[in-house]
Amino acid sequence: MAESPAELAPASPDGPHTSAATSAAPIDGAGPERPPAAVLEGVSRKFDDVIGVRDLDLTLPSGKILGLIGPSGSGKTTTIRMLTGALRPSTGRVTVLGEDPTRFTRRTRERIGYLPQFSVLYPELTAWETVDFVAALTGTLLFRRMIRVRRVLHVLELWDVRGRRVSVLSGGTQRRVALACALVGDPELLFLDEPTTGIDPILRESIWAELARRRDAGRTILVTTQYVSEAEQCDLVVLMADGNVIAYDTPEGMRRQASQGEEVSSRDSRPPFDEIFADLVRQNGFHGDGDPKKKAR
Amino acid sequence: MNLLKVFTRVFAFVGKEIVTTVRRPGAIFSLILGPFLIMAIFGYGYNGFRKPLDTLVVVPQSAGLPRDPGFYAGIGGAPVQIVAVVDDADAAKQRLALREVDLVVIAPPDAGAQFQAGQQEVITVAYNEVDPVAQSYVAVLADQFAATVNRELITAAVKSGEQYAIGAGKAVKVIPPEVLAAPTRVETENLAPTTPNVVDFFAPAVLALILQHMAVTLTALSLVRERLGGAMELFRITPTSAGEILAGKYLAFGILNLVVATAVIGLMVTALHVPLLSNVLFVLFIVVLLSFASLGLGLFISALADSERSAVQIALLALLASVFLSGFAIPLRDFDPAVRNLAYALPVTHGLRLLQDAFLRGTWTPVNLLALGLIGFVLLLATNVVLARSMRPV
């Protein structure tokens, strides 16, 4: 079975974070002593007879990028929706920024950004209007909003399409507009549900670079992805399958788990992350295709 | 600062709703020109008077009555148009069955014989109608026809009697036979400040109906779309409250309704020459109240509907109820009291009465204004409760 997160005690992400030109302002009180941004304790969630997430213990340290990785149906979105307060856990306790997400205060909501799995866009609005609308929902006043919208559109390379209606944009561009909506409020805590889906590899790199810049400025980011290779970009990785956490570690720690303690010295000889994921899934007795009935005996 | 943030969120919805509405293809046409065109077509096509009924008069050869259609046209008056005078009743009824004519009036075969025998003569009026309103109309026409014939007969008899008395050298007071046949007559006096034609009369009612329908259809899909598209989950994460969402939507669609109403009222007054006896600002106040209540109805439907299809279906039911029950098609006083009370729950019932009175009488009924405000307020509260509940974690 998976080692519990408490046993894993996630280490610091490898390497120092370089501070590049970022679209995020440094956060007040950022430092190693900050409390965890989110904690899930013994959390399960059932949908009628189907278990979406099973007995989940997870800590999201502040100022880190935590990646929830797993196939479709593994419980990533259920986890993120419980963290945002959209879903109530069937059992267990969820705490986000010190509060129960189902009872978030307005002030706490202003500190959170969210990208749902399916983009919420209005076809008749332009890219600018869409991002501006979501920025206004956080209560950001006009002039600050103009600056932030302009900045985030530049960062996500959407500036040239700012005046075009969302309905005429490609799927990948629409996804970036949705991501811009999540980033525009410069939130302290970001929940991004598959932000890079449908986006080409070059732009995916630039999105991850932007997320890293925000992390360096003290933001906390929880991101789900089906691209196993993107685990490399995270400080901490949670592998999920069939509603269970099967591993929680840094990417390097996960490599060690997969190679069962053998040191992999050369960067070139390191196995790709999808192989690591498959190894860990097998080691923990899961098929990892999203069907909870297929857990190996 | 917090108030500023609330305004920012509310006006985010105002801007979004207005932009998404006016950018839809055909929205401007359907919103502004559409209602006016409906009124113009209605006014062009219907002058408020029934088309005269095509009538065959059957005069059997044995009756000994005139066969000139002009004679019977004088008796029937404007509501009937005598197509022909024939002598075969069965053939005439055959044409009626084929709906080639609207009425067949059959004179008695031996006119005068029954009367001489001290019995009433029977004039048969045959028609072929399934419409109950048309059936009632024919019955009224038949009564009117019989009264006219009777009056003509009495006039002729009086004239003949007076001539006989005068010829016999008797001292008689001569009263005109027409006065003896119809000793009284009625003169009508309308106290209403205007005598509107049918377009004038229906235009404010159509305006009320269009405003309610527009508000309901614009908003009925609004919340259900947000919910099905996942926006409600996004709103739930932001500091936005159900009240702010509703306030934004009320304001946005209220502004659209007011703009459309102003344009349509302008066209009504200038192009259709509908009399406007009240202050235009008061009319706009009625429009605001009617919009408030109608938007509440639309948003309430939207908050309850579980799909776009069900929202559209309920909106159409609201339109049907409004056409039939609001007093638009049939006067409200003709309904059973229970149904009338149901009709009072519809915003358009009060809006229609208020707008017609404002345009054509220059008056207003406080109870209708209060009712509109009350309906709007109750719907606002109910929608807020339903929406806030739907935004709770599941």
Side-chain angles (χ1 to χ4, degrees):
Chain A
M1 281 300 294
E3 295 166 85
S4 77
E7 291 165 328
L8 284 167
S12 297
D14 20 340
H17 303 134
T18 52
S19 181
T22 177
S23 61
I27 201 162
D28 292 337
E33 72 283 357
R34 285 164 66 198
V39 180
L40 294 102
E41 297 166 282
V43 171
S44 297
R45 170 70 199 203
K46 279 185 181 175
F47 298 96
D48 297 326
D49 293 337
V50 179
I51 295 175
V53 163
R54 198 191 311 258
D55 201 20
L56 186 64
D57 288 297
L58 195 66
T59 299
L60 172 55
S62 295
K64 305 286 184 210
I65 299 177
L66 186 144
L68 281 182
I69 312 239
S72 176
S74 58
K76 305 186 300 289
T77 297
T78 302
T79 304
I80 227 169
R81 293 185 73 209
M82 284 192 290
L83 286 164
T84 58
L87 287 180
R88 205 183 285 278
S90 304
T91 57
R93 197 170 72 159
V94 182
T95 311
V96 175
L97 297 174
E99 290 181 17
D100 175 355
T102 60
R103 294 161 185 265
F104 274 147
T105 59
R106 281 196 180 209
R107 204 160 184 79
T108 305
R109 289 176 204 274
E110 286 175 12
R111 296 161 66 194
I112 296 173
Y114 174 45
L115 170 69
Q117 188 177 19
F118 300 104
S119 306
V120 177
L121 299 169
Y122 299 94
E124 297 88 0
L125 297 186
T126 64
W128 174 288
E129 289 163 348
T130 303
V131 180
D132 184 63
F133 169 64
V134 177
L137 293 186
T138 63
T140 312
L141 302 184
L142 183 65
F143 291 110
R144 178 176 286 189
R145 218 161 65 221
M146 286 171 70
I147 294 166
R148 285 185 174 179
V149 173
R150 186 187 179 89
R151 194 163 57 194
V152 79
L153 289 179
H154 275 297
V155 164
L156 294 175
E157 298 180 32
L158 290 165
W159 184 250
D160 291 342
V161 297
R162 66 189 182 282
R164 296 175 68 181
R165 289 192 197 180
V166 167
S167 56
V168 300
L169 300 177
S170 68
T173 311
Q174 287 185 356
R175 193 63 184 155
R176 276 186 287 145
V177 173
L179 179 59
C181 293
L183 298 180
V184 70
D186 192 17
E188 185 182 328
L189 174 59
L190 266 168
F191 295 114
L192 307 177
D193 201 351
E194 303 192 5
T196 52
T197 301
I199 295 177
D200 67 69
I202 295 170
L203 269 169
R204 265 159 50 191
E205 282 295 322
S206 71
I207 287 170
W208 278 106
E210 173 58 20
L211 296 184
R213 281 195 289 270
R214 286 180 183 253
R215 182 263 324 275
D216 294 343
R219 308 296 185 267
T220 306
I221 301 164
L222 187 141
V223 57
T224 73
T225 179
Q226 287 190 52
Y227 299 118
V228 177
S229 58
E230 291 185 338
E232 299 276 14
Q233 311 278 357
C234 303
D235 301 320
L236 295 161
V237 179
V238 176
L239 288 187
M240 294 188 77
D242 305 336
N244 295 274
V245 170
I246 56 173
Y248 175 21
D249 209 331
T250 60
E252 272 311 306
M254 218 156 265
R255 281 183 200 286
R256 278 195 296 275
Q257 279 191 61
S259 59
Q260 294 180 322
E262 286 178 35
E263 282 297 321
V264 183
S265 51
S266 158
R267 194 173 179 83
D268 293 340
S269 63
R270 296 197 306 183
F273 230 89
D274 49 355
E275 282 180 23
I276 294 171
F277 173 75
D279 285 346
L280 286 170
V281 168
R282 272 194 297 274
Q283 282 172 29
N284 286 281
F286 288 91
H287 286 273
D289 59 359
D291 184 351
K293 290 176 187 160
K294 290 187 181 172
K295 185 172 190 278
R297 299 279 171 198
Chain B
M1 190 62 183
N2 279 340
L3 201 60
L4 267 181
K5 286 184 175 182
V6 169
F7 278 123
T8 303
R9 284 190 281 268
V10 168
F11 281 94
F13 279 99
V14 174
K16 191 262 285 184
E17 298 298 352
I18 290 178
V19 169
T20 52
T21 303
V22 299
R23 281 195 188 150
R24 281 187 206 131
I28 300 292
F29 173 81
S30 61
L31 286 179
I32 297 176
L33 290 179
F36 178 72
L37 270 180
I38 291 169
M39 270 192 278
I41 292 167
F42 178 73
Y44 173 77
Y46 183 60
N47 62 9
F49 296 102
R50 277 180 176 269
K51 186 175 155 286
L53 300 176
D54 289 339
T55 305
L56 279 179
V57 179
V58 179
V59 179
Q61 294 290 353
S62 57
L65 292 171
R67 306 191 69 81
D68 172 23
F71 173 78
Y72 298 100
I75 296 174
V80 295
Q81 180 174 336
I82 307 298
V83 175
V85 177
V86 296
D87 53 12
D88 185 348
D90 289 337
K93 281 186 179 176
Q94 185 67 27
R95 290 185 64 185
L96 181 65
L98 293 171
R99 299 169 74 183
E100 292 174 5
V101 293
D102 303 311
L103 279 183
V104 171
V105 179
I106 306 168
D110 48 355
Q114 290 281 95
F115 180 69
Q116 298 287 348
Q119 290 180 331
Q120 283 185 314
E121 295 280 3
V122 176
I123 300 168
T124 305
V125 177
Y127 58 95
N128 180 13
E129 279 295 344
V130 290
D131 177 355
V133 176
Q135 287 172 7
S136 304
Y137 180 64
V138 170
V140 169
L141 273 189
D143 281 346
Q144 201 178 319
F145 188 78
T148 308
V149 170
N150 289 340
R151 196 167 57 241
E152 291 293 324
L153 289 173
I154 292 169
T155 305
V158 167
K159 196 180 286 179
S160 159
E162 284 179 348
Q163 279 169 355
Y164 174 78
I166 292 165
K170 300 200 172 173
V172 290
K173 182 175 182 183
V174 177
I175 297 172
E178 296 79 13
V179 175
L180 269 178
T184 60
R185 68 186 169 89
V186 174
E187 283 184 358
T188 57
E189 184 184 359
N190 188 355
L191 298 183
T194 50
T195 48
N197 61 28
V198 70
V199 174
D200 297 343
F201 178 73
F202 275 107
V206 173
L207 175 67
L209 195 64
I210 284 169
L211 285 179
Q212 181 191 281
H213 183 58
M214 196 174 72
V216 170
T217 45
L218 279 177
T219 51
L221 290 174
S222 174
L223 287 174
V224 75
R225 269 190 185 147
E226 309 269 31
R227 197 165 54 241
L228 296 176
M232 215 50 89
E233 186 163 323
L234 187 67
F235 299 158
R236 188 188 282 141
I237 308 307
T238 65
T240 313
S241 68
E244 288 165 352
I245 296 172
L246 284 183
K249 288 182 184 286
Y250 266 98
L251 271 174
F253 293 120
I255 290 168
L256 284 172
N257 245 27
L258 194 60
V259 168
V260 170
T262 308
V264 174
I265 288 168
L267 287 169
M268 275 166 62
V269 173
T270 56
L272 297 178
H273 306 293
V274 176
L276 173 55
L277 301 189
S278 277
N279 187 316
V280 72
L281 289 177
F282 179 67
V283 172
L284 291 178
F285 175 64
I286 295 170
V287 167
V288 169
L289 265 186
L290 175 59
S291 300
F292 171 61
S294 306
L295 291 171
L297 181 60
L299 286 168
F300 187 61
I301 290 169
S302 198
L304 290 179
D306 56 2
S307 67
E308 289 193 16
R309 182 184 291 182
S310 67
V312 169
Q313 282 172 344
I314 301 171
L316 276 176
L317 285 179
L319 176 65
L320 276 179
S322 301
V323 169
F324 286 111
L325 303 179
S326 67
F328 177 82
I330 301 159
L332 212 53
R333 63 173 176 271
D334 292 351
F335 285 110
D336 179 86
V339 177
R340 211 181 306 151
N341 288 334
L342 186 69
Y344 287 136
L346 291 166
V348 70
T349 306
H350 306 281
L352 187 151
R353 171 81 189 271
L354 283 165
L355 284 174
Q356 269 185 339
D357 282 355
F359 270 87
L360 306 176
R361 292 181 183 275
T363 59
W364 56 285
T365 323
V367 70
N368 290 118
L369 279 180
L370 283 173
L372 267 187
L374 188 67
I375 291 170
F377 189 65
V378 168
L379 286 169
L380 169 65
L381 284 182
T383 310
N384 192 47
V385 168
V386 176
L387 183 61
R389 189 171 289 176
S390 76
M391 289 177 77
R392 285 185 198 155
V394 288

